[in-house]
Amino acid sequence: SQQGEEDPQALSIQEGENATMNCSYKTSINNLQWYRQNSGRGLVHLILIRSNEREKHSGRLRVTLDTSKKSSSLLITASRAADTASYFCATPLGGADGLTFGKGTHLIIQP
Amino acid sequence: GAVVSQHPSWVICKSGTSVKIECRSLDFQATTMFWYRQFPKQSLMLMATSNEGSKATYEQGVEKDKFLINHASLTLSTLTVTSAHPEDSSFYICSANRLAGETDTQYFGPGTRLTVL
């Protein structure tokens, strides 16, 4: 099964700075999703971008998708301490199948 | 809307016992639910797809006799870890599909932390 790869694996920045995380995947997709997971908790769906979209915004989040490079990026602008979490990209296996998750980026926002 | 709950949120059991974890979609019907496992500091791995009224579909490497899945209704799926051993200690997360626009959106439960002594 395909698997997304995020980089960096860990990122530490100062509050107020922008954070950028990247994700690469291996096969064709219908959509790509980004999730946030606070330590030891469940996942929160952040944003879904379809394969025919190149960029999508939601509040302080901006996601891009480059299907030719099979990559996506998640930008969090004006970061806050509450943004500290692990961020995962995920792609559907197809049909009603589950999601394949990347390894995740652990983001630390220092106050 | 689109809330998924899990029960229990954490469980500690002795080696050899069985543990049942429930996953419920509270405000929508889900014909398909998914079970994932997450080891510490690792990503989520899909274990199985649970379909209401039919047998679950297991991913390669997941023992179906060890991880029993039952999807008895459109709002409830259960995962039973049979004869649990310490290596089964993990964070188990379920999700449920809800059609949102043109694309299925998965909503995740808060997870169940299983510790097998």
Side-chain angles (χ1 to χ4, degrees):
Chain A
S1 60
Q2 66 180 23
Q3 183 175 16
E5 297 279 341
E6 280 103 333
D7 75 270
Q9 291 189 356
L11 178 62
S12 180
I13 61 174
Q14 295 292 323
E15 193 168 21
E17 295 180 338
N18 296 340
T20 299
M21 290 158 272
N22 302 296
C23 166
S24 61
Y25 55 92
K26 296 179 181 177
T27 64
S28 297
I29 58 172
N30 292 323
N31 65 74
L32 184 144
Q33 304 172 41
W34 284 90
Y35 289 85
R36 183 184 74 224
Q37 183 181 36
N38 291 88
S39 179
R41 312 283 283 278
L43 272 73
V44 174
H45 182 263
L46 295 177
I47 197 165
L48 179 151
I49 186 167
R50 297 187 176 89
S51 59
N52 61 351
E53 298 176 308
R54 291 296 168 259
E55 187 171 311
K56 200 165 183 178
H57 296 254
S58 177
R60 293 184 296 113
L61 306 180
R62 176 186 154 219
V63 168
T64 64
L65 179 64
D66 187 335
T67 53
S68 66
K69 295 181 179 179
K70 292 186 169 59
S71 66
S72 174
S73 68
L74 170 66
L75 168 69
I76 303 174
T77 60
S79 63
R80 305 168 181 168
D83 295 329
T84 294
S86 291
Y87 292 82
F88 296 92
C89 67
T91 54
L93 290 169
D97 291 337
L99 297 173
T100 297
F101 283 82
K103 293 181 179 179
T105 293
H106 183 50
L107 175 65
I108 297 173
I109 308 299
Q110 298 182 9
Chain B
V3 177
V4 176
S5 70
Q6 280 184 242
H7 178 80
S9 56
W10 61 269
V11 57
I12 301 173
C13 69
K14 293 182 178 180
S15 185
T17 61
S18 295
V19 175
K20 179 186 285 188
I21 303 170
E22 292 185 349
C23 176
R24 293 181 185 272
S25 56
L26 298 185
D27 51 2
F28 67 98
Q29 293 183 333
T31 55
T32 305
M33 291 184 173
F34 305 92
W35 287 95
Y36 297 83
R37 180 169 53 186
Q38 184 181 33
F39 291 107
K41 298 186 177 180
Q42 294 189 25
S43 187
L44 282 76
M45 295 294 292
L46 178 66
M47 297 176 66
T49 301
S50 168
N51 297 296
E52 187 266 338
S54 64
K55 291 183 179 180
T57 303
Y58 291 82
E59 294 300 302
Q60 191 173 11
V62 178
E63 299 176 57
K64 61 181 180 181
D65 293 331
K66 180 168 186 61
F67 299 99
L68 301 179
I69 292 173
N70 182 273
H71 195 153
S73 75
L74 289 173
T75 59
L76 173 64
S77 176
T78 60
L79 168 68
T80 301
V81 183
T82 62
S83 187
H85 291 282
E87 57 266 29
D88 298 323
S89 297
S90 187
F91 194 52
Y92 292 87
I93 306 176
C94 72
S95 70
N97 256 17
R98 182 185 188 187
L99 187 62
E102 299 174 353
T103 308
D104 286 335
T105 298
Q106 287 197 26
Y107 294 91
F108 285 80
T112 296
R113 186 163 302 283
L114 170 64
T115 302
V116 185
L117 302 177

